Amino acid sequence: MWTHILSLAVILIVDKSSCARILSLMTVPAHSHAYWASNLIETLASRGHQIVALTPESKTSSHPNVTSVYLEGGYDEKVLFEQDLDSIPPIEEPTAMMHFLFNWLADMCRTLLLSPGNKRFMADYADGHFDLILTDSTGNECFLKYVHLFGYPPVVSVVPYGSPQWVNELVGNFANPAYVPNQFTSFTDRMTFAERLTNLYVNVYCSLFRYFRYLPRNEATAQEFFGFAEPGVAQLEKHVSLALVNSHFSLRYSESIPPGLVPVAGMHISPAKPLPKDLKNFIEGAEHGVVYFSLGSNLKSDKMSKEKQKAFMDAFARLPQRVLWKFEADSLPELPKNVMISKWIPQNDVLAHPNVVLFMTHCGLLSVQESIYHGVPVIGIPLMIDQYINANQIVQKKLGLQIKYSDIKNADQIYQLIHTVTSDSGFKERMDITSENFRDQPIKPLDRAVYWVEYVLRHKSLDYLHPGSLQLSWYQLNLIDVMVFLVISAIITLTLIYQLVKRLVKFTGKRKLRAPIKRRLS
């Protein structure tokens, strides 16, 4: 009740001219994507903006300024959400990972665009008006024809993924493959010749696959739903005024970015709240600290094989620390005395507690960011997509260790990893330094995101934020025409020089032949 009263008070205080109608297209069915954007949406709503949110999440915002439209079917996909963990194939090869992710995103975009919820939205809002569109640019291209339908309002791209490369071509950012690793590789910004060659290949391959296979699938889905072909999604995705990206140089690598690309990593992290009594007692009663173990919001520990569950329990039983384990079943037979399981754990609040000495995680990006923010060393247990990349970066920065889920065979492996990280103070020291770098920002990431969304609302046209590269064709941007001109000029010049030398040699030869003849005649 008090929340609603406060919200109404804020609405009355805020100048009505600054309030806007915003369409939120956070339609990628991944809880982490929804969770990352939720702080932004809630804050915009608290500032008086009216938001209509299309979402595959069944649990939606209760804020009076947020109208949620549920898109059915997003979490029916068994491959990602209900499959036994041991049957998930480890996909690490960059192009294979890209194929898997793009194909899944295209399937999900079709499912949600053709869902009953989206059809209801179309019927109710087709003649409506929006001042701005927020869109998750990591996989909802088939929804972009709403930009045309609603008269081209400004579009702010929101990228929960950790790499700016999802929107580089939309905001004119050039990721030099010589030192910027592709988002599907685990390279650093110091690549060998072989890695640079591979990085270039992956960049070109992914770009071609996206434009000739992935976007056409989304275009076909969009035409089926909206009933018109032009403008196409490839054209509409370039109608982006600004991109908010879940990256920060302290977490990834230093690279140049244009003003239209704004890093807001950590936007989802809120001040720690008091822990529930049972968790608080369990953590504060741990003499040697607590190991926190979670596989995130999509993957579930109770989907492990019985053999792997036993390996984890046997390893935990040997530890001096207590273990807090996010486990989705009601009970776990033969649970060690130092282990507590729970179906839901307030992760940010747990990691903020000084007694937590280690985080065992699947290495989803938000989990990695929270561990770094709170200075907790990591043991990565990646299973799919970008989790391998995130885990590799943790190891490369010496902030923890990793073991692939598919490589876990026995309790000794798990115990040795935990013992190594918890007994070597260097991991904690390096994590604390990285945490300080991440936290030391002139403005909080959420405040920065809100500022730029409202900046777009105030100024509408933001062409001045976009570099001239957006007006160049692919061959101009890559200087192909210049290189062709230089090659042709060099060929012409060398040909002329060759012909000139040939003539000079021929002329000199004739003169040498004439000289002896004249001497004989004389």
Side-chain angles (χ1 to χ4, degrees), residues 287-306:
E287 181 182 354
H288 301 284
V290 171
V291 174
Y292 171 49
F293 178 29
S294 170
L295 295 180
S297 54
N298 292 325
L299 303 172
K300 300 177 180 179
S301 293
D302 67 338
K303 296 296 181 181
M304 288 183 187
S305 64
K306 299 300 180 184

Side-chain angles (χ1 to χ4, degrees), residues 69-114:
V69 178
Y70 174 53
L71 307 180
E72 302 86 349
Y75 290 97
D76 292 343
E77 175 56 63
K78 304 301 181 185
V79 172
L80 284 184
F81 306 117
E82 294 296 335
Q83 188 172 351
D84 291 340
L85 300 188
D86 292 71
S87 62
I88 297 176
I91 303 174
E92 296 182 72
E93 197 277 322
T95 56
M97 188 188 304
M98 180 272 301
H99 274 267
F100 174 82
L101 183 58
F102 278 172
N103 287 329
W104 177 77
L105 287 170
D107 289 341
M108 290 297 97
C109 205
R110 176 178 178 82
T111 296
L112 298 177
L113 188 69
L114 303 179

Side-chain angles (χ1 to χ4, degrees), residues 238-253:
K238 298 184 184 301
H239 186 68
V240 168
S241 300
L242 190 83
L244 305 174
V245 183
N246 191 16
S247 65
H248 187 263
F249 54 82
S250 66
L251 308 181
R252 187 172 157 82
Y253 309 110

Side-chain angles (χ1 to χ4, degrees), residues 223-332:
Q223 288 187 30
E224 180 180 345
F225 179 80
F226 289 97
F228 59 88
E230 295 295 334
V233 296
Q235 178 183 350
L236 289 168
E237 71 172 357
K238 298 184 184 301
H239 186 68
V240 168
S241 300
L242 190 83
L244 305 174
V245 183
N246 191 16
S247 65
H248 187 263
F249 54 82
S250 66
L251 308 181
R252 187 172 157 82
Y253 309 110
S254 179
E255 57 182 295
S256 58
I257 58 174
L261 197 156
V262 181
V264 290
M267 182 177 73
H268 68 290
I269 301 175
S270 302
K273 297 183 288 293
L275 292 169
K277 187 176 181 179
D278 58 339
L279 286 180
K280 181 180 179 181
N281 292 339
F282 182 80
I283 292 174
E284 293 186 351
E287 181 182 354
H288 301 284
V290 171
V291 174
Y292 171 49
F293 178 29
S294 170
L295 295 180
S297 54
N298 292 325
L299 303 172
K300 300 177 180 179
S301 293
D302 67 338
K303 296 296 181 181
M304 288 183 187
S305 64
K306 299 300 180 184
E307 292 75 19
K308 279 198 170 63
Q309 289 181 14
K310 188 175 189 311
F312 277 101
M313 285 193 292
D314 290 347
F316 294 158
R318 296 164 58 183
L319 297 174
Q321 295 90 2
R322 288 182 176 180
V323 178
L324 180 60
W325 185 356
K326 181 178 177 291
F327 193 85
E328 291 73 19
D330 293 322
S331 62
L332 185 58

Side-chain angles (χ1 to χ4, degrees), residues 27-91:
T27 57
V28 175
H31 297 307
S32 56
H33 284 233
Y35 178 63
W36 186 73
S38 62
N39 265 1
L40 175 60
I41 292 173
E42 291 287 320
T43 305
L44 290 171
S46 70
R47 293 172 66 84
H49 301 295
Q50 301 291 321
I51 299 172
V52 178
L54 272 65
T55 174
E57 302 293 319
S58 56
K59 294 180 180 179
T60 55
S61 172
S62 59
H63 197 285
N65 284 354
V66 179
T67 301
S68 297
V69 178
Y70 174 53
L71 307 180
E72 302 86 349
Y75 290 97
D76 292 343
E77 175 56 63
K78 304 301 181 185
V79 172
L80 284 184
F81 306 117
E82 294 296 335
Q83 188 172 351
D84 291 340
L85 300 188
D86 292 71
S87 62
I88 297 176
I91 303 174

Side-chain angles (χ1 to χ4, degrees), residues 154-458:
V155 176
V156 172
S157 171
V158 179
V159 186
Y161 208 83
S163 169
Q165 291 177 40
W166 287 96
V167 290
N168 276 346
E169 294 185 22
L170 309 186
V171 296
N173 187 35
F174 174 63
N176 190 325
Y179 70 94
V180 179
N182 183 277
Q183 59 192 342
F184 292 112
T185 72
S186 56
F187 300 149
T188 70
D189 56 347
R190 269 76 168 177
M191 289 178 270
T192 64
F193 172 80
E195 289 173 338
R196 284 185 283 118
L197 184 62
T198 302
N199 196 49
L200 177 61
Y201 164 74
V202 173
N203 271 4
V204 174
Y205 185 91
C206 289
S207 181
L208 292 175
F209 184 90
R210 185 175 187 274
Y211 278 100
F212 291 105
R213 294 287 299 278
Y214 174 70
L215 284 181
R217 285 186 62 186
N218 279 277
E219 176 62 34
T221 299
Q223 288 187 30
E224 180 180 345
F225 179 80
F226 289 97
F228 59 88
E230 295 295 334
V233 296
Q235 178 183 350
L236 289 168
E237 71 172 357
K238 298 184 184 301
H239 186 68
V240 168
S241 300
L242 190 83
L244 305 174
V245 183
N246 191 16
S247 65
H248 187 263
F249 54 82
S250 66
L251 308 181
R252 187 172 157 82
Y253 309 110
S254 179
E255 57 182 295
S256 58
I257 58 174
L261 197 156
V262 181
V264 290
M267 182 177 73
H268 68 290
I269 301 175
S270 302
K273 297 183 288 293
L275 292 169
K277 187 176 181 179
D278 58 339
L279 286 180
K280 181 180 179 181
N281 292 339
F282 182 80
I283 292 174
E284 293 186 351
E287 181 182 354
H288 301 284
V290 171
V291 174
Y292 171 49
F293 178 29
S294 170
L295 295 180
S297 54
N298 292 325
L299 303 172
K300 300 177 180 179
S301 293
D302 67 338
K303 296 296 181 181
M304 288 183 187
S305 64
K306 299 300 180 184
E307 292 75 19
K308 279 198 170 63
Q309 289 181 14
K310 188 175 189 311
F312 277 101
M313 285 193 292
D314 290 347
F316 294 158
R318 296 164 58 183
L319 297 174
Q321 295 90 2
R322 288 182 176 180
V323 178
L324 180 60
W325 185 356
K326 181 178 177 291
F327 193 85
E328 291 73 19
D330 293 322
S331 62
L332 185 58
E334 303 178 10
L335 190 69
K337 293 181 179 179
N338 65 328
V339 179
M340 176 182 179
I341 62 171
S342 178
K343 291 183 179 180
W344 178 84
I345 294 174
Q347 180 165 291
N348 182 66
D349 306 330
V350 166
L351 290 173
H353 199 287
N355 259 20
V356 176
V357 297
L358 177 66
F359 183 20
M360 300 179 68
T361 169
H362 65 311
C363 279
L365 182 61
L366 303 193
S367 293
V368 169
Q369 289 177 350
E370 289 170 7
S371 67
I372 291 174
Y373 183 86
H374 294 296
V376 181
V378 167
I379 290 178
I381 309 174
L383 287 99
M384 59 170 55
I385 315 177
D386 66 325
Q387 297 165 15
Y388 296 106
I389 299 167
N390 299 334
N392 285 335
Q393 289 182 351
I394 285 291
V395 174
Q396 289 161 1
K397 293 176 181 291
K398 298 182 180 180
L399 306 178
L401 299 176
Q402 72 159 312
I403 181 170
K404 299 179 182 68
Y405 179 84
S406 57
D407 290 342
I408 296 175
K409 307 300 180 186
N410 55 61
D412 287 340
Q413 294 172 294
I414 301 168
Y415 174 79
Q416 287 300 329
L417 286 169
I418 297 173
H419 176 72
T420 299
V421 177
T422 55
S423 61
D424 184 347
S425 60
F427 290 105
K428 174 63 176 172
E429 291 169 1
R430 287 185 290 271
M431 184 62 90
D432 284 340
I433 292 172
T434 307
S435 178
E436 289 176 8
N437 295 338
F438 184 31
R439 284 171 171 256
D440 190 1
Q441 301 186 39
I443 180 174
K444 292 180 179 178
L446 179 59
D447 294 338
R448 183 161 57 246
V450 170
Y451 168 82
W452 279 107
V453 170
E454 294 185 336
Y455 184 94
V456 173
L457 282 168
R458 289 193 298 271

